[in-house]
Amino acid sequence: MSMNATHVNTMIFSDDQLKAEAKMNELVSFLPERSIIKRTKDHVKTTIGTYRAKKYTEGCRGYRYQTVYIDKSLSVSSDVVNSILMKLRSPDFYGEPKNDNYNWKDHVHFF
């Protein structure tokens, strides 16, 4: 793993920071409160992983993630979607055993 990249388990991108944060809050609302270790307005660390919400910009390139949620408003540009997908990493990238049933499409969601 690159020392320059920040890893998060679940990344949420939108064209608006508040929409990204709202989606992140929706996702973590199903978790038990005791599983949340640390919370800021755009980042939640839990016992099962981390969530980060960002307005998509070219400067977002320093992140790597295993699951991504992409605002449908960003899907009008294939360059943006391709840039986001390039940072998606399978679990074996982080040393977990390779899973032959892994399908990256199961880890990309549009909202």
Side-chain angles (χ1 to χ4, degrees):
M1 177 167 72
S2 169
M3 298 305 271
N4 297 326
T6 300
H7 171 74
V8 292
N9 296 88
T10 303
M11 191 72 178
I12 300 99
F13 285 116
S14 179
D15 63 340
D16 178 75
Q17 182 65 32
L18 294 177
K19 284 196 311 189
E21 291 170 12
K23 182 63 177 179
M24 178 188 71
N25 289 328
E26 176 189 328
L27 293 171
V28 299
S29 69
F30 297 104
L31 300 174
E33 192 62 36
R34 68 180 183 273
S35 69
I36 297 175
I37 298 169
K38 181 180 178 182
R39 179 190 286 259
T40 63
K41 70 177 195 157
D42 67 344
H43 180 254
V44 176
K45 183 175 183 175
T46 71
T47 55
I48 60 170
T50 55
Y51 296 77
R52 172 130 355 227
K54 294 296 269 183
K55 176 180 178 181
Y56 179 81
T57 64
E58 290 298 319
C60 292
R61 65 178 179 255
Y63 290 97
R64 304 292 182 268
Y65 29 82
Q66 291 180 286
T67 301
V68 65
Y69 287 80
I70 305 169
D71 188 338
K72 289 179 184 174
S73 64
L74 295 175
S75 65
V76 296
S77 171
S78 63
D79 289 343
V80 168
V81 174
N82 288 339
S83 176
I84 291 171
L85 294 179
M86 283 184 0
K87 309 302 187 306
L88 187 66
R89 298 293 183 251
S90 64
D92 64 318
F93 182 79
Y94 298 101
E96 294 183 28
K98 186 166 177 70
N99 180 351
D100 292 332
N101 295 323
Y102 176 82
N103 183 348
W104 66 270
K105 293 177 184 177
D106 296 336
H107 301 273
V108 177
H109 310 278
F110 290 90
F111 66 97

